[in-house]
Amino acid sequence: MNGDQASVVRYAKSLGQYLFERGYWDACFDLLSGAIHAAQSLHDEDSELSLRLLRGELTREQANYLIAAEDLDICVAAAERMNGVYAARAIRELGELRRVRREYSEALRLHKESLDLSISNMDLAGQARSLHDCGLVERILGDFDSAKRSFSASLELSGQLGAQAQQAYSRLELGIVARTNGEYADAGRLLAMALEFFLSNYDLRGQSYAHRELGELALERGDYEQAVIEHSESLRLRNILGDRRGEAIS
């Protein structure tokens, strides 16, 4: 029996991230939930915490905030017993939960704390993620200059690491900032580059974001027919993902 449970945990740890990134969110949730229960039965706290961290990220995207908060609170409470990279990621995910719940000041504080931890741990990938996260909240708060600096720093660091997915998401956000500043040509170029990556890597979540922002760009340019096409495609993808929050936006 323990062998079967251990297999479930190993399977979830190897496949969970893939299912999440490729948009199989319901299957990912079921797999992670079963594996968390199995890890608890095995008294394998490290595996349980890593699986909870991924499920917290997934359920945040699904707008299942109660489960997300439960998982992430457990992860943050355990962070002091874990390595610094895990602690930074747990704080980062809690910051993202605060952001989607519109607690922007707290979200920015948590993302800066995560960034500081990543710097102290010399975790360059973590730094790139947290710079991006800080930029996202700064953009929402209307501090576009700071947002652009954060996204540009994330883009540069991701390029050094060869982290193409992070580069694509930072280009997407730089495209939004450019659109907000009326720099429509730059916005279109950046958003198109991001979408090209998301399409080639079957990143449905990234595709849905890019089509949404291309729709907003078309709207500002007065191309209403194209705006409907882009927003409709974003909605279709979000229906496939089960992204309830995204569906409402689209």
Side-chain angles (χ1 to χ4, degrees), residues 76-235:
V76 170
E80 290 184 0
R81 304 196 302 274
M82 308 293 284
N83 63 53
V85 172
Y86 177 91
R89 187 181 166 201
I91 291 168
R92 183 253 177 184
E93 295 302 337
L94 185 60
E96 284 294 272
L97 180 60
R98 295 289 183 264
R99 177 182 63 81
V100 299
R101 300 184 79 162
R102 301 184 179 184
E103 301 169 20
Y104 299 129
S105 295
E106 178 64 6
L108 187 57
R109 185 192 69 79
L110 288 165
H111 284 316
K112 287 181 177 180
E113 182 179 347
S114 179
L115 176 59
D116 289 342
L117 278 171
S118 293
I119 291 171
S120 66
N121 287 297
M122 295 182 288
D123 176 11
L124 298 182
Q127 291 175 44
R129 284 192 299 270
S130 288
L131 283 165
H132 177 96
D133 297 332
C134 287
L136 182 52
V137 180
E138 288 162 348
R139 174 179 66 76
I140 292 170
L141 292 173
D143 188 353
F144 300 122
D145 289 340
S146 293
K148 187 173 182 178
R149 285 194 295 271
S150 295
F151 292 134
S152 297
S154 178
L155 183 63
E156 181 179 358
L157 191 52
S158 299
Q160 294 173 16
L161 295 168
Q164 293 180 306
Q166 184 61 66
Q167 283 183 291
Y169 278 99
S170 289
R171 285 195 181 101
L172 175 72
E173 287 295 334
L174 283 168
I176 299 172
V177 172
R179 171 180 61 78
T180 303
N181 288 332
E183 301 163 357
Y184 296 151
D186 283 345
R189 175 181 58 82
L190 289 161
L191 293 174
M193 290 175 68
L195 179 58
E196 181 180 5
F197 175 84
F198 297 141
L199 286 168
S200 64
N201 287 272
Y202 197 67
D203 183 339
L204 298 186
R205 178 172 56 161
Q207 291 175 43
S208 73
Y209 290 162
H211 281 294
R212 191 259 178 186
E213 296 308 328
L214 285 166
E216 290 295 279
L217 178 61
L219 186 63
E220 291 202 13
R221 283 175 154 172
D223 189 349
Y224 303 123
E225 182 177 352
Q226 186 63 30
V228 170
I229 291 171
E230 298 289 357
H231 282 305
S232 296
E233 179 62 8
S234 180
L235 178 59

